[in-house]
């Protein structure tokens, strides 16, 4: 029986690859895609989500947008994805509705299939936190959350210690990490070690997605190199999506994690309890290793379909 999933996302180049991977795989049942302000404005990321659905000819999948801002802060968007949030893609003809009710739709779908919905979150956790805050028992009805985000033992990619998704809405992340729901976290620690290069995307030659993917990835790689100093596409969200297709390709470790919301230099930090003598309150399974060869092989194979 296929996983029923909601993909909460802020497309985003790596988000776009994640959507392609899961939808093209045919191995999950995507109940809805919900968009969250993060990589770009809610208008842009929702349009980008619609563009990917058009590309895949899957407009049958419901697309709902969140609100324009994080829970308590002004939106800080990413720079690596360009002005539209998906540089290299021509979204000028894409038509979408900005519904601003993602949290309500998430709750509705979960209540319709209690215990059977997996939430895959690829952006800030604003929509999920809003849904959980409105209904304190909703988290108990979620089968599992797979969360892309956090920096455990590496530098942040937004401030010195915080990964982007946690930095944009730390208050939302705090709500989610305190919620009683099974959580799997894919932090940038492992994703930083799995860049994809133009030579990897060239393997899609002959596939319908080859040209649009190459157009997007050339721009993404330029942005990553300019702003983060890495040569290659850091495909965080595609790696998180792959967890739903091949859990055996991932090693995890249970951790006790809290989110910093107030520090002047540390807000958004994903803090693991590392003291040897301290009692741990394990609340998340953190991915510590990914089989890169399996990921790349399956990624190319699925997108070539």
């Amino acid at each position: 029986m296929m996983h029923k999933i909601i993909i909460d996302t802020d497309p985003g180049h790596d988000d776009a690859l994640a959507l392609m991977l899961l939808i093209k795989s045919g191995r999950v049942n995507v109940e809805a895609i919900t968009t969250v302000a993060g990589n770009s404005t809610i208008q842009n990321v929702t349009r980008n989500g619609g563009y990917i659905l058009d590309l895949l000819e899957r407009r049958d999948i419901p697309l709902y947008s969140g609100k324009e801002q994080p829970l308590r802060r002004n939106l800080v968007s990413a720079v690596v994805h360009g002005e539209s949030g998906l540089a290299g893609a021509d979204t000028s003809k894409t038509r979408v509705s900005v519904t601003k009710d993602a949290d309500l739709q998430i709750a509705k779908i979960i209540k319709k299939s209690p215990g059977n919905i997996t939430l895959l979150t690829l952006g800030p956790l604003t929509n999920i936190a809003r849904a959980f805050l409105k209904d304190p028992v909703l988290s108990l009805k979620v089968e599992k959350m797979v969360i892309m985000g956090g920096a455990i033992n590496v530098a942040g990619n937004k401030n010195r210690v915080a990964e982007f998704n946690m930095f944009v809405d730390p208050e939302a992340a705090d709500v989610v990490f305190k919620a009683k729901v099974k959580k799997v976290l894919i932090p940038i620690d492992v994703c930083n070690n799995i860049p994809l290069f133009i030579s990897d995307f060239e393997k899609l030659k002959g596939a319908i997605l080859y040209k649009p993917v190459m157009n997007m990835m050339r721009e993404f790689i330029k942005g990553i190199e300019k702003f983060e100093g890495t040569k290659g596409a850091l495909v965080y969200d595609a790696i998180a999506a792959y967890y739903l297709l091949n859990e055996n390709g991932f090693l995890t470790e249970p951790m006790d994690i809290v989110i910093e919301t107030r520090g002047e230099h540390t807000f958004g930090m994903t803090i693991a309890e590392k003291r040897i003598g301290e009692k741990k309150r394990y609340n998340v399974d953190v991915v510590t290793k990914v089989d890169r060869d399996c990921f790349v092989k399956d990624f190319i194979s699925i997108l070539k379909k």
Side-chain angles (χ1 to χ4, degrees):
M1 198 155 157
M2 291 198 296
H3 275 301
K4 288 183 175 182
I5 68 170
I6 297 171
I7 306 173
D8 191 66
T9 178
D10 57 342
H13 293 86
D14 53 329
D15 307 72
L17 296 179
L19 292 173
M20 292 176 190
L21 181 65
L22 288 174
I23 294 170
K24 288 280 285 183
S25 77
R27 287 160 54 189
V28 292
N29 188 345
V30 182
E31 297 288 302
I33 294 168
T34 54
T35 60
V36 59
N39 281 327
S40 191
T41 65
I42 198 65
Q43 290 82 5
N44 282 349
V45 298
T46 305
R47 187 183 303 112
N48 296 344
Y51 169 80
I52 298 303
L53 289 179
D54 285 343
L55 209 56
L56 299 173
E57 298 182 343
R58 288 301 309 269
R59 272 303 182 116
D60 57 302
I61 298 173
L63 177 67
Y64 306 109
S65 85
K67 295 182 172 60
E68 294 176 339
Q69 301 289 340
L71 287 187
R72 298 180 196 167
R73 299 172 187 261
N74 293 325
L75 177 65
V76 177
S77 293
V79 290
V80 297
H81 300 284
E83 258 185 63
S84 70
L86 199 58
D90 180 6
T91 61
S92 60
K93 295 178 183 175
T94 305
R95 298 290 174 261
V96 292
S97 296
V98 179
T99 63
K100 300 184 183 180
D101 63 348
D103 56 325
L104 301 179
Q105 296 295 342
I106 288 165
K108 185 178 176 182
I109 293 166
I110 291 168
K111 288 173 184 175
K112 191 177 175 182
S113 299
N116 291 313
I117 300 292
T118 294
L119 296 175
L120 172 64
T121 66
L122 305 176
L125 292 164
T126 314
N127 290 333
I128 312 302
R130 280 199 170 103
F132 286 178
L133 287 169
K134 284 178 183 172
D135 184 348
V137 299
L138 186 67
S139 65
L140 302 175
K141 298 174 184 175
V142 176
E143 181 179 8
K144 178 169 60 181
M145 285 190 70
V146 177
I147 302 167
M148 190 283 123
I152 309 298
N153 295 310
V154 297
N157 63 357
K158 196 57 188 175
N159 66 18
R160 297 183 187 204
V161 291
E163 176 274 333
F164 177 82
N165 290 340
M166 305 301 163
F167 172 91
V168 170
D169 200 342
E171 286 77 19
D174 182 48
V175 168
V176 170
F177 275 79
K178 286 175 178 173
K180 291 181 179 177
V181 56
K182 178 177 171 57
K183 294 179 280 289
V184 178
L185 183 73
I186 294 88
I188 62 173
D189 303 47
V190 289
C191 301
N192 285 344
N193 299 323
I194 311 177
L196 294 185
F197 303 97
I198 288 296
S199 57
D200 292 307
F201 296 112
E202 282 287 358
K203 293 171 186 172
L204 294 173
K205 202 158 191 174
I208 292 170
L209 291 176
Y210 172 72
K211 187 177 178 182
V213 167
M214 288 296 285
N215 287 342
M216 287 186 277
M217 290 306 113
R218 284 194 185 99
E219 293 301 317
F220 185 39
I221 288 169
K222 281 184 202 169
I224 290 281
E225 187 170 0
K226 179 179 178 181
F227 294 106
E228 297 193 19
T230 297
K231 292 186 178 180
L234 295 173
V235 293
Y236 309 113
D237 295 333
I239 295 166
Y242 184 60
Y243 181 85
L244 295 176
L245 303 180
N246 181 20
E247 285 187 30
N248 293 331
F250 294 73
L251 288 180
T252 63
E253 180 184 332
M255 292 190 192
D256 173 348
I257 284 181
V258 296
I259 307 296
E260 176 58 67
T261 59
R262 288 186 254 182
E264 181 184 352
H265 302 292
T266 59
F267 72 85
M269 185 177 184
T270 310
I271 308 167
E273 176 57 84
K274 298 174 185 175
R275 291 173 293 180
I276 293 170
E278 197 69 19
K279 185 179 178 182
K280 311 289 192 299
R281 296 177 179 83
Y282 297 122
N283 61 338
V284 60
D285 290 326
V286 177
V287 169
T288 56
K289 190 174 180 181
V290 181
D291 187 328
R292 185 190 193 279
D293 291 341
C294 271
F295 166 69
V296 176
K297 178 174 169 284
D298 288 347
F299 175 82
I300 298 300
S301 170
I302 289 168
L303 262 63
K304 277 191 93 164
K305 284 183 180 179

